[in-house]
Amino acid sequence: MKSDILYHGSIIGGLDIILANAKSHSDGGKVAYFTTDRVYALVCCRSKEENFVTMGPGENGIQHYYERFPNQLKVMYDGKEGFLYSPISVYDLKNTKDHSWESPVDVPVVLREHIENVYEEILAEERAGNVIIHRYDEIDPVEQKMRAEKLREYVMNNPQLTYREFIIKHFSPLWD
């Protein structure tokens, strides 16, 4: 759900600063990311080794989450805690696209929410109508196969990929 509040989702508790160490989608520089979309911040509560985001806004602005392997949402988030932070000041933050905001400098933050189980919180957002979840078994098998094969090619061509083991573990049973 979009709001005026800015969020940064993380699996790390006790942060005072969000470092500007992510790559900007707008200019390629180093930035700290924030979003006005709480659901998007929730799906960012994952490790770098599981950096597999399959969500984006639909035409109506509501997020759509697509499972690309069986029980993806549960596998990635069930039983895992998350932390939603908000910036102390928005001075250096710039709206780059839709719900995304970025800063070229480190951003001091305060803890907004501690989420005990990110999976349960995402399901609560689904019940509230803030995200539409497309479960794996509801997606056309031809599309499922095509996406799995594209990921295989991507993984094989990028041996240094941070989340390579994650992809192989969850997608190799889907490959020919």
Side-chain angles (χ1 to χ4, degrees):
M1 173 190 221
K2 293 183 182 174
S3 71
D4 291 333
I5 299 169
L6 291 175
Y7 301 97
H8 177 90
S10 178
I11 57 170
I12 302 169
L15 296 177
D16 295 321
I17 294 175
I18 302 302
L19 300 176
N21 63 4
K23 185 177 178 183
S24 170
H25 296 296
S26 61
D27 67 14
K30 294 292 186 180
V31 297
Y33 271 112
F34 292 85
T35 180
T36 54
D37 193 315
R38 184 175 179 273
V39 178
Y40 193 82
L42 287 169
V43 301
C44 290
C45 295
R46 64 189 184 288
S47 69
K48 284 191 275 185
E49 292 78 23
E50 296 179 330
N51 190 19
F52 188 69
V53 179
T54 56
M55 186 168 98
E59 289 180 16
N60 59 3
I62 295 176
Q63 292 287 355
H64 287 253
Y65 185 97
Y66 296 87
E67 287 191 326
R68 298 301 182 199
F69 63 85
N71 299 309
Q72 176 181 324
L73 194 66
K74 187 173 182 119
V75 166
M76 290 183 68
Y77 300 103
D78 194 22
K80 298 178 182 175
E81 69 180 334
F83 302 87
L84 299 183
Y85 296 94
S86 289
I88 292 173
S89 167
V90 297
Y91 179 74
D92 288 315
L93 292 167
K94 180 175 112 180
N95 183 223
T96 53
K97 184 179 178 193
D98 300 326
H99 61 84
S100 295
W101 292 72
E102 52 186 55
S103 169
V105 298
D106 299 346
V107 178
V109 293
V110 294
L111 178 63
R112 178 161 292 278
E113 292 180 66
H114 173 212
I115 310 297
E116 293 287 333
N117 186 325
V118 176
Y119 176 69
E120 293 298 329
E121 197 65 23
I122 293 170
L123 293 181
E125 291 286 353
E126 178 187 32
R127 288 189 297 275
N130 298 326
V131 62
I132 297 169
I133 300 171
H134 302 271
R135 275 131 179 116
Y136 182 79
D137 59 357
E138 300 168 353
I139 298 172
D140 177 19
V142 173
E143 181 183 344
Q144 293 169 349
K145 187 70 170 166
M146 178 206 55
R147 292 196 181 271
E149 295 299 328
K150 281 186 176 188
L151 266 174
R152 176 177 63 183
E153 184 177 321
Y154 182 69
V155 166
M156 296 310 162
N157 291 330
N158 293 283
Q160 302 303 318
L161 192 64
T162 307
Y163 57 101
R164 187 174 201 272
E165 294 305 315
F166 173 82
I167 297 295
I168 291 170
K169 177 180 178 181
H170 295 289
F171 283 91
S172 62
L174 308 174
W175 296 337
D176 288 332

